[in-house]
Amino acid sequence: MAPYPFVRARSFRGNPDRFSGSSTSNSSSPDNPLRQKPNSHLLGAFTKAWGKSGLAEAALDDVFIDDITFPATDGYLLGATLFLPRGAKSHAVLINSATATPRKVYRQFAGYLARRGCAVLTYDYRGIGDSRQKAMVGYNQTKSLAGFNATMSDWAGKDVTAAVAWMRERYKALPLNFVGHSFGGQALGLLSNNTEVSRALFIAAQAGYWKLMASPENYRVYAMLKFVGLPLTRLMGYAPGWTGLGVDLPKGVFEQWASWVMSERYLFTDPRLPGLSNFANYKGALRALCFSDDPWATRPAVGLLCSGLAAIEPEILTIKPADIGATRIGHFGFFRPEHRDTLWRGAAEWIQA
């Protein structure tokens, strides 16, 4: 999968809804940007696909933003960002990332929801972004993922579950809504506390069996996983991002993901996945968006994932780029700011209905 663009963070103090635990924000006023070293590998992709960062940052100036940490269910600290409106809060929204995708990708959409009155949390799964352990030597260097134990089951059962609990505890009086992009949507059914979610919006979330992907992408994914990704991951002890993933992945995450991709019913036939029984527990509303030019989350793949949520009748919408006056959307395009007045507005209105 291609590398994913991101926006450099701006973080504010003076937050009226200050997190009572650990915060990593290092700015003292709304005029001081959080200093972060940009990832040069992704910078070109961001400029090409997302436009100029100055315009994007200006759009967040009226939102309180804090970079924080919170513990997963096993105590592992996860890097996160909390977005808060300056006025009254009407909804709590948790944004759950795709595989190999840092939370920075969702920053502009999270800010958009916050300006509409939502308290929004984005976060990184263990081993990704700011939830990756730091090395003991060098300045702000990340530790190698070789030997780091994590699976997709851990992401769902320990990280996403904890994020839902954190938001539910903090915003008890607000409806809790769930935005799941790709794997982020898959995780909903695995959560022991998915009954806490009132509404779930899936963005290109699918049961990613390789034969349900569009051709020729399905053959590329199959070959990459079987003949490059798996052998290299077992050799190096982790899946290196330079193979096309964009970021490094823990070995257990990549191996479990690959096994699901090779299985006809994706994660639904994984005998080591006890969280599968939780799919039947979700009874909230669900809208699943798929895009006609997305080769991974095709309509059959989205439908297969939604079929696991047997207690509800999901609403599945297929959107063509031409429907919104765009030339492309794809698997990640929903989160580009150019869709603020089309895809974002429709999503926000449904989330806040």
Side-chain angles (χ1 to χ4, degrees), residues 21 98 221 226 235 248 275 283:
V221 169
K226 191 172 183 66
L235 175 66
D248 299 341
K283 296 180 174 62

Side-chain angles (χ1 to χ4, degrees), residues 9-10 15 56 62 85 119 136 189 302 344 346 353:
R10 180 187 294 265
N15 186 343
D62 57 350
M136 298 302 292
V302 173
W344 289 12

Side-chain angles (χ1 to χ4, degrees), residues 55-184:
L55 294 176
E57 295 228 359
L60 291 176
D61 281 348
D62 57 350
V63 174
F64 289 107
I65 305 174
D66 266 326
D67 290 325
I68 64 173
T69 61
F70 69 91
T73 60
D74 61 349
Y76 186 96
L77 285 180
L78 302 174
T81 303
L82 185 62
F83 301 78
L84 296 170
R86 290 183 179 267
K89 293 178 287 292
S90 61
H91 294 74
V93 179
L94 178 66
I95 298 181
N96 306 272
S97 307
T99 304
T101 306
R103 73 184 189 278
K104 299 179 181 72
V105 168
Y106 310 102
R107 186 174 186 82
Q108 297 302 318
F109 182 57
Y112 174 82
L113 293 176
R115 285 194 302 278
R116 293 180 59 103
C118 298
V120 185
L121 184 73
T122 64
Y123 65 104
D124 293 320
Y125 307 131
R126 62 187 64 205
I128 302 296
D130 290 332
S131 298
R132 181 170 173 175
Q133 296 173 340
K134 298 295 183 182
M136 298 302 292
V137 296
Y139 174 70
N140 202 29
Q141 298 296 311
T142 54
K143 187 177 180 180
S144 172
L145 288 178
F148 181 77
N149 293 320
T151 63
M152 286 189 135
S153 302
D154 293 330
W155 282 0
K158 298 177 181 177
D159 300 349
V160 186
T161 299
V164 168
W166 192 91
M167 289 293 279
R168 181 69 289 160
E169 175 63 24
R170 186 169 181 80
Y171 300 106
K172 295 178 180 178
L174 302 181
L176 176 58
N177 296 330
F178 185 105
V179 175
H181 179 211
S182 199
F183 170 78

Side-chain angles (χ1 to χ4, degrees), residues 282-333:
Y282 181 69
K283 296 180 174 62
L286 171 62
R287 171 176 283 186
L289 304 183
C290 55
F291 307 103
S292 63
D293 63 334
D294 181 353
W296 302 334
T298 60
R299 178 65 180 248
V302 173
L304 178 56
L305 176 64
C306 291
S307 71
L309 299 161
I312 62 171
E313 294 184 9
E315 177 188 20
I316 304 176
L317 302 180
T318 301
I319 300 172
K320 300 177 182 177
D323 293 339
I324 59 168
T327 57
R328 63 187 178 91
I329 303 174
H331 197 62
F332 281 83

